[in-house]
Amino acid sequence: MSEFFCEGATVRTNLLKPLLIMLAVLPLFAVNRGRNVVDGTPAPVAAGNAIVENYTVDDGLPNGIVNSVIRTGDGFMWFGTWYGISRFDGLHFQNYTGLFSSKSDQPPRKVETMVEDGQGNIWVKTLDWRLSVLFKREDRFKNVENELKRYTNNLQIIKIQSDSRGHVLLLTKDKNLLLGSTTADGRVELRLIANSRGAIDKSSMQLRTDLVDIRNGYAAWVGRDYSIFAMPIATGRSAAYHNLDFYRQRFRGLDEASHRCTDTKGTVWILADGHLYGYNPKTHQQADYTLALSGKITSPVFCRSGNRLFVLTEAGEALCVNALTMRVMPVNAAEGMTQGKPTVRYIGMLADPSGDLWLTTAGRGIYKVTFPLSQFRLITVPDSGNNGIRSIFQLPDGDVWAGSRNKNLYIFDSSGRLKQTLRYADYGIGSVYNIMADSRGRLWLSTKGDGLVLATADASQPCGWRFRHFRHDRNNPSSIGGNNVYVTYEDSHRHIWVGTLDGGLNLLTENGDSITFYNKLNGMTHYPGYGLYMEVRNMVEDGSGRLWVGTIDGLMAVNTQFRSPADIRFDTFRDRQASPFVNSDIYTLFRDSRKNVWVCAFGGGLSRMTGYDSAAKVPIFNNVGLREGMENDVVLSVVEDSRRQLWLAGSDRLSCYDEAARRVRTFGRSDGLPPIVFEEGAAMRNTNGELWMGSKEGILVFRPDGLMQPKDSFPVYIVGCTVNNQDIRHLDHSVADGSITYSDEMRLSHDQNMLTLTFAVLDYGSQNNIICRHRLEGFDTDWHYDGRNRMASYSQVPWGEYTFVVEAADAANPSHPAVRRLHIVILPPWWATWWAYAIYFLLAVAAAVALFRYVRYQIRLKNDLYVQSKVAEFKRQFTMEQEDKAFMQRVKDAVEANVDKADFDMDALAGELGMSRSALFKRIKALTGESPSEFVRNYKLTKAVDLLTHSDRSITDVAYASGFSDVGYFGKCFRKKYGMSPRDYKNRKEN
């Protein structure tokens, strides 16, 4: 991190000694001006290297009039504008122009000055002399009026200034000096440290003399020029430290030093009489720079950043001083700084820790000026016109050949000094797109439009080389397939392959001095059809001897083991389950020192070929993407350095991929990369360790191990949040404890389950090198890599507790990421809260008790009913048995009374009992299982058995006595029931 500080009206006391020396030699400038003085002419090179960014209303500023700028301790940039203050995180402005909290006072307008206190809160003074404090953690403004009434009769504040101890000095219109601070619980505290009573002219409200006062533990100074200082008086100090004259002398020295500063080389710089003077007491060098602007619109400011000293004059002129050379450059000289208006005046200035300069204006918004390191150099070619370098190749003797779009071929030594130009008018070589040295030491030059050129070393030639051209001849099928040759390659079998953009892939064979080209129209019978794979850009051989050919239609693989061109087989992947980008426009193929093949497709980024699936006959790739920090989808060229890192040229960016760390680091303008546009396929590693890469502007040269990369860890914050598409600051009920930027927890209701979180990395240099990833712990299963996006969106998040985590790291320092966590609680609906579950439990217990009682009651009731039913059944059965018994007795009595009557049948019995025939039948059937006729007949047979057993009557008499009129029928019925005839029965009884 660069050493930096900014000074306005205050300069440190350690400058007093060199300032006294400066005052002593200052008169010499009148004599020595123009002689033995370092020239103060603007340095155009430095101005051209500066990177200027202008932020206006179109970028989110509330207004183009910006009066002040500060950088707070948490890393945010704050700007005071005509419409209020605005916070900048490197990408977006957040404007504090409206109320975010019901507890907030009205946000201030016409902001003139801002100061941060020890609590991190911002004190704001407006042009109409009002004072407010922004409590950042609460997004709350506090108008400081009631607190002022205790110490002054005039509530107007004309100046505020930090005392560098966490307090704020407040100068009132009646020239009282107050010391302000804020407390952790959000209160404003003031203390009077200088009272102007008796020292002020009440009619003009001006001091009669510089005021020094000692009170409330502080010594304070109020100058007639509105300079203010204060320092605490330590307890136990001697009486001298309580003497007004002691502090008057000390404060006067600080006041005189307010227009002076010392740079890192000890040179003292002073603003005086329309000049910026510099004097180095050690070297006795002097500098004199005449200011271009006059007048007074602001206070002078000195900002030191490394070996640069930035100066803002009271007329609004911004200057940059090089401490090493004592050269002074007006910042307006930087390209893009003032849109051709060098008289633009600046109101505020700040140099941040990274060395960037921030300037505010009255109407043109904010300028940020970056002074990148000079760690790249550009070799330009002397000819004007289309000079894009399309090929670079180094010979064993160290010379570097570079082919250009202007059809000239340039030869440099290994340091980049141009040795020779082979002009197209003299040699007719053409635009060389690729240079290849074969195993015999010959050079093959692939040209666009002029075919293939063979270069053979020949000392007899003026240039040392003999050239032989091969062009397409439509009448000669053995000629090269096209004149637009993009690449030539020699495989491990010493086959020479030529890729053309208008004739496909060619195989070059030699027979003495005779050279034959085999292609789709000459001998390659298995070449893909339908006009595909005819535009060849590049080719490379993998470790297994398979030749990979990059075309506009995708990758094509060729087996380099063959007997004749007719035997060559070509593999394409359009109808196979291969990676989609395999069939895209292949821009670059590269084989590294470990024989890995890297493929770059247009829009497909960078991928490494990790293998070949023999069964599916498709290559397998591992993509380098957002996870590694790869943001550029178009890679034009690849080269490997001595540390096995890959350097990737995009359109206007340079990236470095460290495969071991799986990290991509991008270099841009802020790293010193010139404003160039890279060319396709033009890159090499010099034998001295430098990398050379072709561009439209020339050859970019740099040492990979010499590039300086920042090792800072930039803070990351959550800067915004919307819930159900509504900013949480505008919700009816607060979901966070103050500002989301500083909150550790957010509590949402169950229906607030769609949220978007915006986060920022406070890097004001290049955001391209910041790798961000986020996840919602408890919801996400893996990290989400964001690229340039700084937003995370979630929907339908179930209620529960989560932790949102965002990590940000510079690709140059990935092991030390900055981390921000936010605990998110989505409250359950009322029916899923703990008290709801408690009620559910109580209700369940009550239901169980009620159910138990109900079941017990039902069981008891059932038992009672069962007993009652059994008793009733018993009673019914007993009653029925008694009734049936009486009925049967009646039946028996009726039958007994008429047993000897042969005509006594069922009808007679029914009449005897007074019943119907059917009722009688049903009842006797139910009680005896017999019909009435059977019952009467069986009763008569029983009577007959009794007579046969107890009388001596004859069978005939027994039959008549039993009611049978037919003896034969009687015998038949008797036999059926007893199994024997009446006679046999009688005889058995007698025996």
Side-chain angles (χ1 to χ4, degrees), residues 123 190 225 243 283 362 367 397 491 595 660 735 741 748 774 784 796 919 974 990:
W123 294 65
L190 300 179
D225 60 353
N243 186 283
T283 64
Y367 287 95
D397 62 2
D491 65 24
K595 298 183 179 181
V735 298
T741 304
L748 306 172
H774 71 268
H784 299 279
Q796 303 300 318
F974 193 92
E990 291 178 354

Side-chain angles (χ1 to χ4, degrees), residues 952-963:
D952 294 331
R953 291 185 181 187
S954 64
I955 300 302
T956 302
D957 291 341
V958 170
Y960 289 140
S962 301

Side-chain angles (χ1 to χ4, degrees), residues 49 373-382 387-389 392 412 415-418 669 672-679 690-703:
N49 289 339
L373 297 173
S374 297
Q375 46 190 3
F376 296 90
R377 65 188 177 102
L378 190 65
I379 301 175
T380 58
V381 295
N387 297 331
I389 301 299
I392 309 175
F412 301 89
S415 65
R417 183 180 63 86
L418 181 63
R669 293 291 309 281
L673 185 71
I676 61 175
V677 177
F678 287 102
E679 288 280 11
E690 292 179 334
L691 297 186
W692 291 34
M693 309 189 79
S695 72
K696 294 186 182 300
E697 293 74 21
I699 303 173
L700 181 74
V701 180
F702 62 95
R703 289 188 174 275

Side-chain angles (χ1 to χ4, degrees), residues 32-33 84 196 228 327 478 511 593 645 666 686 696 818 852 876 884 981:
N32 292 328
R33 190 174 296 172
S196 64
I228 52 177
R327 296 284 298 273
S478 297
N511 186 9
S593 58
Q645 297 179 132
T666 300
N686 198 323
K696 294 186 182 300
F852 173 76
R876 184 184 64 79
D884 292 343
S981 64

